[in-house]
Amino acid sequence: MRLLGSDEEKKRSGNRQSHRRPAARHSVADTARRGFQGPDPSLALLGTRRVAMGVMDLPGGRRTYAQEMEFLERVTPTQWRVREGFVPNMRVPGVFYVNKHLETLMFDELRQHVDRGDVGGFLPAVKQLANVACLPGIVSKSIALPDVHSGYGFAIGNVAAFDMSDPNAVVSPGGVGFDINCGVRVVRTNLHERDVTDIKEKLAQSLFDHIPVGVGSQGIIPTSPAGLEAALEMGMDWSLREGYAWAEDKEHCEEYGRMLNADPNKVSARAKKRGLPQMGTLGAGNHYAEIQVVDEIFDKHAADKMGIERLGQVMVMIHSGSRGLGHQVATDALTEMERAMARDGIRVNDRQLACAKIGSPEGQNYLTAMSCAANYAWVNRSSMTFLSRQAFAKMFDQTPDDLDMHVVYDVSHNIAKIEEHVVDGKLKTLLVHRKGSTRAFPPHHPLIPVDYQYTGQPVLIGGTMGTCSYILTGTEKGMEETFGSTCHGAGRARSRNNSRNKLDYAEVLEKLKTKGIAIRVASPKLVMEEAPESYKDVTEVVNTCHDAGISKKAVKLRPIAVVKG
């Protein structure tokens, strides 16, 4: 979803060193990164034990890459476990899902971290995964999915659940991300690829003209301050009331497009100011609107239930989130939570894991404000669905209904939600953080629509610019192993700066042209940042989830036109 918050998180983080406090004030965070030395006696003891084991071979007491790898063990061909002790104070183990191809990227990141001596940038994803395993109230394990990559606090692709009955359990904005409820929506049509081949460029331009794109873009959906307040509280019910959504759209949306605990009074004036002009805008980064065609059907029964009936069927995929409003909600919460941590004596391995007890005023304020931002994101995607329907209707001189432009499903990538799960044989109420990961509930789950009760929840996996996307379905094994979660996209393989420096704008465009893909982009530099070479192979990511059994392949989609900020 960004890779759900990745753009905004990196703006927030900048150089990691500049966000660290002096060691004397943050001994846990500092010692976790400098060989477990410092004023905390428990950490000093850990350091003594490591000396006895002969692991302090690098300057500053750091472990070598080989010594770091001793804490990682393969469980299955697609699953690895991070043993406790990899970082101090782990309460549960870590688990990450990768296949042979993807594990190389994971381990290379760890090796580079060891080689550079932890200077600048985010911690490697496997370290972030382990640091999350140290948070108060976490249950079972800290989970990373195949598209995992470093993010702010939590890695992007990290899932962690916290026991609501534990008074010390926490909520962390870093476990949701800055682009709250960044997500994906797929709209089907009754058109075939041959119906759009000759007008593909015009259709791409029509979408580009209808949907405002780019950094700072402003929407054309008329919204007053009072209307924004209502949208934050009502979510898609506001879109329905205002005529920007169909009644059946809600049925095919996670949470039915509305978080009921939203309270606009908990959203700051600055967040509202940022959100007011951006309703119905795509934004920039890895957000996009794509015209796609069905390239392969793996599960015909599931595809039929989604209204996907044939190869070549034209679809529209929209990937966007809560824009500046969501970013501000996260920023405001982090400031509040740093004060709450000092008050309540909460200690974490990484300052970016700022958190508060779920039941504290700060925890509750964040959850209600986050719900408002989630509602805003659903309204945003609903508004762009309305604009997409208008673009197609104008191009084909038919109504959107005649074109069968129904929502297949809408999923969230960056969100924390209260759910019931079985942990160690007992049913527990948990606050599940999903950052850069997708809910993937199995067949017969009460929280998925009637239409998908026999297939499992549709899971929408967006590819990168010019690569395929997938629709999966949730499985019972995923419910058991990952709190009903799976991947959300390809996941970055190289930084945006690296992409700009190493890739050529004209060459990337030429490759898209040879694939027959029409492209409209507001900023040329984004072409390099979002090129397929900047990301992991989405097919490898999806195959890992499928082979691990945590979700199941249903449909493969191929892009024919891309609109980006």
Side-chain angles (χ1 to χ4, degrees):
M1 207 243 86
R2 220 185 226 206
L3 297 118
L4 238 163
S6 55
D7 292 331
E8 302 292 358
E9 288 172 342
K10 289 177 181 177
K11 292 176 187 175
R12 166 87 179 180
S13 176
N15 185 307
R16 186 179 186 83
Q17 298 294 327
S18 67
H19 286 263
R20 292 178 184 156
R21 297 184 180 179
R25 297 175 61 189
H26 270 267
S27 59
V28 174
D30 189 68
T31 50
R33 291 185 281 258
R34 287 176 169 80
F36 314 127
Q37 300 170 343
D40 188 322
S42 64
L43 297 179
L45 178 60
L46 278 173
T48 302
R49 288 174 180 166
R50 290 176 60 211
V51 169
M53 292 187 293
V55 299
M56 287 189 165
D57 297 333
L58 295 178
R62 293 182 293 109
R63 289 192 293 242
T64 65
Y65 173 71
Q67 291 158 352
E68 295 279 28
M69 288 297 293
E70 290 176 4
F71 287 88
L72 310 182
E73 57 184 355
R74 184 189 296 277
V75 179
T76 72
T78 55
Q79 183 186 134
W80 285 73
R81 179 183 292 112
V82 183
R83 292 191 289 109
E84 295 173 46
F86 186 58
V87 301
N89 302 327
M90 288 178 68
R91 301 167 188 265
V92 296
V95 169
F96 60 92
Y97 292 84
V98 288
N99 63 11
K100 278 285 188 182
H101 175 75
L102 297 173
E103 71 184 34
T104 302
L105 295 172
M106 193 91 165
F107 299 147
D108 282 350
E109 183 185 44
L110 178 61
R111 185 192 298 275
Q112 290 165 13
H113 167 75
V114 172
D115 290 345
R116 72 171 182 255
D118 187 25
V119 177
F122 290 124
L123 290 171
V126 68
K127 286 285 186 181
Q128 293 187 319
L129 170 73
N131 282 335
V132 169
C134 307
L135 293 176
I138 190 170
V139 299
S140 185
K141 53 199 167 188
S142 176
I143 302 163
L145 296 157
D147 48 343
V148 67
H149 55 289
S150 296
Y152 186 89
F154 280 59
I156 299 161
N158 199 170
V159 178
F162 297 81
D163 189 350
M164 293 289 292
S165 66
D166 183 344
N168 294 314
V170 299
V171 56
S172 175
V176 172
F178 283 90
D179 192 6
I180 296 167
N181 192 9
C182 179
V184 173
R185 171 176 294 204
V186 166
V187 179
R188 71 175 187 245
T189 77
N190 56 16
L191 298 168
H192 190 273
E193 185 175 8
R194 59 176 172 268
D195 298 322
V196 302
T197 299
D198 294 338
I199 59 169
K200 181 169 53 182
E201 292 289 341
K202 291 181 179 179
L203 191 55
Q205 187 63 45
S206 182
L207 263 188
F208 189 74
D209 292 340
H210 277 76
I211 300 176
V213 301
V215 177
S217 55
Q218 297 194 358
I220 60 174
I221 301 296
T223 313
S224 64
L228 176 64
E229 293 273 339
L232 296 180
E233 181 179 356
M234 298 171 64
M236 280 184 65
D237 286 331
W238 181 88
S239 301
L240 186 59
R241 186 187 76 181
E242 299 297 317
Y244 298 119
W246 298 351
E248 52 267 42
D249 290 352
K250 268 178 51 99
E251 298 299 315
H252 286 184
C253 184
E254 193 171 325
E255 299 297 320
Y256 300 100
R258 180 178 184 178
M259 297 284 278
L260 296 175
N261 64 326
D263 181 358
N265 293 320
K266 302 302 183 183
V267 178
S268 70
R270 174 154 177 73
K272 291 173 183 175
K273 182 179 180 180
R274 293 181 68 179
L276 183 61
Q278 294 183 333
M279 189 81 78
T281 64
L282 192 64
N286 60 350
H287 292 168
Y288 58 77
E290 282 191 356
I291 302 169
Q292 304 172 333
V293 296
V294 176
D295 197 51
E296 194 169 354
I297 295 175
F298 305 101
D299 186 335
K300 189 175 186 310
H301 174 64
D304 286 345
K305 289 294 184 181
M306 299 175 199
I308 299 173
E309 301 170 343
R310 54 182 175 162
L311 299 181
Q313 186 173 342
V314 175
M315 318 285 282
V316 179
M317 178 177 280
I318 298 169
H319 175 205
S320 190
S322 52
R323 307 287 280 112
L325 183 140
H327 184 279
Q328 192 63 46
V329 166
T331 301
D332 293 341
L334 286 169
T335 302
E336 279 194 12
M337 288 187 179
E338 286 193 353
R339 292 194 292 264
M341 289 173 66
R343 181 195 67 212
D344 296 337
I346 300 173
R347 306 182 73 183
V348 294
N349 285 4
D350 186 346
R351 186 186 174 195
Q352 292 181 358
L353 291 172
C355 56
K357 294 179 181 180
I358 295 172
S360 70
E362 295 82 5
Q364 288 299 300
N365 287 347
Y366 171 68
L367 288 172
T368 52
M370 181 210 70
S371 295
C372 288
N375 287 345
Y376 180 96
W378 280 312
V379 169
N380 196 31
R381 290 196 288 277
S382 293
S383 300
M384 285 185 281
T385 301
F386 170 80
L387 296 171
S388 299
R389 285 167 172 162
Q390 296 303 306
F392 270 72
K394 182 178 179 180
M395 183 61 60
F396 292 97
D397 196 25
Q398 296 184 60
T399 67
D401 192 40
D402 288 339
L403 292 169
D404 193 36
M405 295 189 72
H406 288 271
V407 173
V408 172
Y409 206 62
D410 181 301
V411 296
S412 306
H413 291 158
N414 288 358
I415 204 161
K417 292 194 293 188
I418 298 172
E419 300 171 357
E420 289 187 336
H421 291 272
V422 176
V423 179
D424 297 329
K426 296 180 180 179
L427 186 66
K428 288 184 174 288
T429 302
L430 307 175
L431 181 64
V432 182
H433 294 61
R434 293 189 181 93
K435 179 181 182 179
S437 56
T438 312
R439 192 188 76 175
F441 282 175
H444 312 300
H445 195 283
L447 293 182
I448 61 176
V450 172
D451 291 346
Y452 302 130
Q453 280 291 308
Y454 290 106
T455 63
Q457 176 205 313
V459 181
L460 313 177
I461 309 300
T464 61
M465 187 174 64
T467 67
C468 59
S469 298
Y470 287 87
I471 303 178
L472 315 180
T473 52
T475 65
E476 198 62 51
K477 187 175 182 183
M479 201 68 180
E480 295 167 359
E481 290 192 8
T482 62
F483 302 108
S485 310
T486 193
C487 64
H488 85 302
R492 293 200 74 87
R494 63 169 75 189
S495 71
R496 296 183 183 282
N497 186 59
N498 182 280
S499 298
R500 287 194 298 270
N501 292 335
K502 298 291 179 66
L503 302 177
D504 179 72
Y505 166 71
E507 185 179 338
V508 172
L509 284 182
E510 184 59 31
K511 285 183 179 179
L512 292 173
K513 186 177 178 180
T514 59
K515 292 181 179 180
I517 299 172
I519 181 167
R520 299 292 185 275
V521 60
S523 174
K525 73 175 184 179
L526 289 180
V527 173
M528 288 90 79
E529 290 181 5
E530 301 304 319
E533 294 90 340
S534 300
Y535 285 84
K536 298 176 183 179
D537 184 339
V538 68
T539 298
E540 294 285 354
V541 170
V542 166
N543 284 343
T544 301
C545 293
H546 180 84
D547 293 343
I550 58 176
S551 51
K552 180 182 176 184
K553 291 192 292 187
V555 178
K556 179 181 177 182
L557 304 171
R558 170 173 51 86
I560 59 172
V562 181
V563 172
K564 294 190 70 68

